[in-house]
Amino acid sequence: MALEEASTEQMSTELVDQRRAQIRRFSKLMDSRFRIPGTKQTFGIDPILGLVPGGGDAVSMVISAGIVIQAARFGARGPTLVLMLLNLAIDAIVGTIPILGTVFDVFFKANNRNVALLDRHVTDPDLTRAQIRRRVILSITVIVIFTIMLLLTIAAITAWLIAWIF
């Protein structure tokens, strides 16, 4: 089995620690590298990328997928990977809303959340499935509710524009 595909049990402690440190640095760059002056609130390049019209959030999501890929290489179980992907999906979906999405990115910090999930997996791979399952169900519920609200808003705006035009 290739070293990249080895689970944490097959990797040396030094290699695991080195990779986790790299992932933490990457997460910090994406989510909390800079500080808003006069506050304790941090942000990274993720909300900055979100300001780029026509795909900044998509680029950010693709870049952030690297943490999920590393988690898979660490042998993270399916439910953990699903929750990590849901964090990215929530970040990307809400991030598409102008201005609100950027503010959301500053506070949600999907990469930091995913690193915490990865750390939990590495330190306690037998974390109860019920904890992960609840978070997955909650995340899916949030995505479904948000999507329905977005579709209803689009329908209402469309109806208003049609009525206004005719």
Side-chain angles (χ1 to χ4, degrees):
M1 177 178 281
L3 186 58
E4 265 101 50
E5 297 172 4
S7 68
T8 53
E9 294 86 27
Q10 297 166 323
M11 291 184 205
S12 72
T13 304
E14 183 179 312
L15 180 58
V16 169
D17 291 343
Q18 182 182 28
R19 284 192 180 174
R20 287 174 66 193
Q22 289 172 339
I23 292 168
R24 276 192 212 92
R25 282 192 300 273
F26 176 76
S27 175
K28 182 176 182 176
L29 175 66
M30 290 298 288
D31 285 346
S32 53
R33 174 65 178 95
F34 311 105
R35 183 176 305 275
I36 298 173
T39 71
K40 291 184 179 184
Q41 184 61 46
T42 59
F43 68 97
I45 62 171
D46 185 21
I48 296 169
L49 286 172
L51 293 172
V52 176
D57 285 303
V59 170
S60 177
M61 186 174 85
V62 169
I63 292 170
S64 297
I67 294 173
V68 179
I69 292 168
Q70 286 299 318
R73 287 183 174 167
F74 273 108
R77 293 188 174 121
T80 301
L81 295 173
V82 167
L83 185 55
M84 293 174 96
L85 290 171
L86 284 171
N87 284 336
L88 291 182
I90 290 168
D91 187 43
I93 290 168
V94 177
T96 61
I97 302 169
I99 301 170
L100 177 64
T102 301
V103 172
F104 179 79
D105 278 343
V106 169
F107 292 99
F108 186 68
K109 301 181 186 307
N111 295 297
N112 287 349
R113 290 171 184 263
N114 286 346
V115 166
L117 286 169
L118 177 58
D119 285 343
R120 208 174 309 146
H121 165 74
V122 170
T123 57
D124 184 10
D126 296 323
L127 183 66
T128 61
R129 291 182 184 181
Q131 290 175 321
I132 295 290
R133 189 175 302 126
R134 275 187 299 240
R135 292 178 98 186
V136 167
I137 290 170
L138 178 64
S139 296
I140 290 172
T141 303
V142 167
I143 289 173
V144 168
I145 289 171
F146 181 80
T147 303
I148 290 170
M149 288 174 42
L150 184 62
L151 291 173
L152 290 173
T153 303
I154 291 170
I157 291 171
T158 303
W160 177 80
L161 284 173
I162 289 172
W164 184 72
I165 291 173
F166 298 108

